[in-house]
Amino acid sequence: MKRRIASWENGHSTPEDFYATLLPAALGLSAAELGLNPAGGRDPSLLEVRYPPTPDEAITTVDQLWRADLHGYEPLLKSEPSEPAWSDASLRWLVAPEPTARTTDDSTGIKVGLADVAIIQSTSETFAMLDDRFGGGHARHSVIQYLSRDVAPLLNGRYTESVGRALFSAVAEATLLAGWMSYDACHHGLAQRYFLQALRFAQDGGDRRLAGSILSAMSHQATFLGHYAQAATLARAARMGISGVATPTLMAQFHAMEARALARTGDKRACEHALSEAARFLDGRNSADEPEWITYFDDAELAAEAAHSFRDVKRARQAVEHASNAMSGSHVRSDFFATMVLADAHLQAGDVDEACRTALDALDLGEQLRSARCVSYLREFRTALAPHAKTAPVRDLSEQAAEHRLWTAAGSRPAS
């Protein structure tokens, strides 16, 4: 029996009908909290990847995702993203009519007011700071627990039209954070599902700026996973979809995401044009008019995006120049990525010694980070470094880096 329970917990199998009816009573939890459908077993809709057609379906779906994630449903955590889902979601959002108000004042749920919305926003900001400082793997489970236990009841509560819109917008931002943290932990299929739910909530909250930023996040993930044409399309959809309400910083970010994708395709001219547009828009920003959640995208962030792009089109000198200007001093993970890109660029330029010194700086920066994405950057660097394995700088790096957790993780086989 112990072996059977362990199999259920790990998601390798699902409880048979007999046990599925007993488990909720034995554990004092509902079938939904255990991620079970009425017939026993996991709800198969959890593994579907689609843009929710209605607000009610979005609420139901995200609640199920949070619960399953919280209980470590392995097929969901290890799921792969769906490329068609990116296209479908961006198109559905672009052509969606104005959101229909969802008023629930006559329901039996708890009463929700703007104070509740403010609590969600403040809590999300706290978690976002933890994510930035320690990586997505640090507090991801805590974020999902908060969303599942504290936010889900609010979505099913009683609220007016105006409160509902504010609530959906706040939940969209919180779910976007859950998506970013899941992406940083390399739970890519789960991250995509969170991004899709966040986009739907942003639509129903009437928050087109936030929706554009969510599409930008999807573009970022698509580039990381090698879907470069799709990533460029998502960045363009973001730009097109909020053209009437876009701020300069948002436009700069969208152009930068497009540049990252184009660099990977090898289209140097289009990449440089996108970077030029990003710089032009960022020069015209007015911080007082920008949403608070996009103010992090500053000159250092754009320099980091440019460094990635120039590294990917094999322009090492320009990559070094931009990466050197990308250190913010206040965003630990971003500084780690920028430092690793600088190490990559030095290696491309043939300066193995400087590449190794820079990589060691990155390891010092990232000592507190719990980020599978950081590990992937190091793994790529170690692969590129392999031809120089017998040189003194590489031997020295290997010796000094041996005690660093991220370096050790990068040397092991990636999880399948």
Side-chain angles (χ1 to χ4, degrees), residues 132-210:
D132 181 49
R133 184 174 178 182
F134 301 115
H138 170 66
R140 199 190 77 82
H141 191 268
S142 297
V143 170
I144 303 306
Q145 185 176 56
Y146 169 70
L147 292 170
S148 180
R149 297 185 179 178
D150 292 76
V151 175
L154 300 179
L155 288 170
N156 289 295
R158 293 180 291 124
Y159 39 84
T160 62
E161 177 182 344
S162 60
V163 170
R165 288 184 185 275
L167 175 64
F168 283 137
S169 180
V171 174
E173 190 173 346
T175 307
L176 171 61
L177 175 61
W180 272 115
M181 295 176 86
S182 299
Y183 166 26
D184 197 48
C186 287
H187 298 310
H188 290 298
L190 178 60
Q192 184 190 48
R193 287 165 174 81
Y194 284 144
F195 288 148
L196 294 178
Q197 304 304 316
L199 185 62
R200 177 72 219 202
F201 284 129
Q203 176 187 328
D204 294 313
D207 196 336
R208 295 195 70 80
R209 288 176 174 177
L210 180 57

Side-chain angles (χ1 to χ4, degrees), residues 13 21 29-30 42 55 63 71 75 91 115-116 126 134 151 169 267 320 353 359 396:
S13 67
T21 59
L29 298 170
S30 69
R42 293 283 178 176
D63 190 17
H71 288 89
L91 179 60
D116 298 295
T126 298
F134 301 115
V151 175
S169 180
D267 192 339
V320 167
D353 197 1
D396 289 345

Side-chain angles (χ1 to χ4, degrees), residues 347 352 356 381-399 407:
L347 191 59
V352 178
C356 290
F381 178 74
R382 290 185 66 153
T383 299
L385 207 60
H388 311 280
K390 295 182 178 180
T391 64
V394 177
R395 290 199 305 268
D396 289 345
L397 171 63
S398 298
E399 182 179 339
W407 183 262

